[in-house]
Amino acid sequence: MADDMKAPTFKINPKFRLTTQYLSVMWHMVDKDTLQCEAFITMPGRYILSGKNGVEILVQYSDGIMDMVYHSHTDFDSRKTQKWLRELFRDTILRIAKEVLPERVRYWENIKGIHGSGVTVKRLRRNILGQCSFHNHITLQPFLVIFRQEWCDEVILHEMAHYKYKHHRKSFWNYLSTLLGKNSKEADAKNDIALSPYYEYYLYLTKNK
């Protein structure tokens, strides 16, 4: 990639769609007065962005649903608004991932009868979805939790295959094929193609700064 190529520009606004097993986003436009009144009600899982003209966005999170409430003049082009929304998504995804992903690893460990030493969920380098240490401790990217379940599980099983093989030679891929129940190299290539249109957005939603 040429050095002078600009990174894609993303925006979180009512055109943004996310519907997954563990997190879905729903957008609701209401009139400004209704939004101001609703913001006075304190509830668990409620987040409010206010500006000089009052409440701009109200977000209500419950059981994997993010209801995004805004009015017709909410400025989604504002840097402040985009920063607030992205950080809210980042923190929500991380919180869900820390609950879901270790449980998913334990699920597959019990199914396959192989066990590691633990699971950590944290942001990794951009091209790394997961890692397995010499001591069989798995580390996973938070945004795996908004992958299709099949993609997420295949990443988990890939890392679990490293419990036995600490490399990517033929014996590793053969063992992973056994765990997956299909050709692992073909599955890996297909997943790379399917994931590529979304990967940069996933990185954007979970970046630290």
Side-chain angles (χ1 to χ4, degrees), residues 26-130:
M26 311 291 291
W27 294 90
H28 315 274
M29 188 173 73
V30 300
D31 65 79
K32 191 171 183 178
D33 290 339
T34 298
L35 185 57
Q36 307 300 316
C37 292
E38 185 66 22
F40 282 110
I41 303 172
T42 302
M43 294 178 62
R46 177 161 287 191
Y47 307 91
I48 295 170
L49 173 65
S50 297
K52 59 183 178 181
N53 296 317
V55 177
E56 296 291 333
I57 304 172
L58 181 154
V59 178
Q60 182 66 51
Y61 173 81
S62 178
D63 296 328
I65 304 294
M66 289 183 76
D67 286 298
M68 318 287 289
V69 186
Y70 65 103
H71 58 76
S72 59
H73 296 291
T74 297
D75 183 8
F76 287 101
D77 292 325
S78 161
R79 292 182 64 180
K80 175 185 175 182
T81 300
Q82 285 299 308
K83 182 175 185 292
W84 185 85
L85 285 168
R86 188 189 56 75
E87 290 178 350
L88 179 60
F89 271 95
R90 179 198 65 198
D91 294 345
T92 301
I93 289 168
L94 180 60
R95 185 169 64 251
I96 295 171
K98 284 184 174 181
E99 295 177 3
V100 169
L101 295 179
E103 290 183 1
R104 198 66 185 169
V105 172
R106 287 191 290 269
Y107 167 82
W108 281 114
E109 286 180 335
N110 290 332
I111 290 291
K112 300 299 181 180
I114 55 175
H115 296 84
S117 60
V119 182
T120 297
V121 177
K122 70 175 185 179
R123 178 68 184 262
L124 298 168
R125 287 180 294 144
R126 60 177 289 117
N127 293 322
I128 304 296
L129 296 179

Side-chain angles (χ1 to χ4, degrees), residues 98-160:
K98 284 184 174 181
E99 295 177 3
V100 169
L101 295 179
E103 290 183 1
R104 198 66 185 169
V105 172
R106 287 191 290 269
Y107 167 82
W108 281 114
E109 286 180 335
N110 290 332
I111 290 291
K112 300 299 181 180
I114 55 175
H115 296 84
S117 60
V119 182
T120 297
V121 177
K122 70 175 185 179
R123 178 68 184 262
L124 298 168
R125 287 180 294 144
R126 60 177 289 117
N127 293 322
I128 304 296
L129 296 179
Q131 294 176 332
C132 181
S133 75
F134 180 79
H135 299 290
N136 294 340
H137 186 98
I138 288 178
T139 303
L140 297 171
Q141 282 275 21
F143 60 69
L144 290 176
V145 81
I146 55 174
F147 275 20
R148 285 172 46 185
Q149 189 69 71
E150 180 183 5
W151 297 348
C152 178
D153 286 343
E154 291 186 8
V155 171
I156 288 171
L157 289 166
H158 180 113
E159 299 311 320
M160 286 172 55

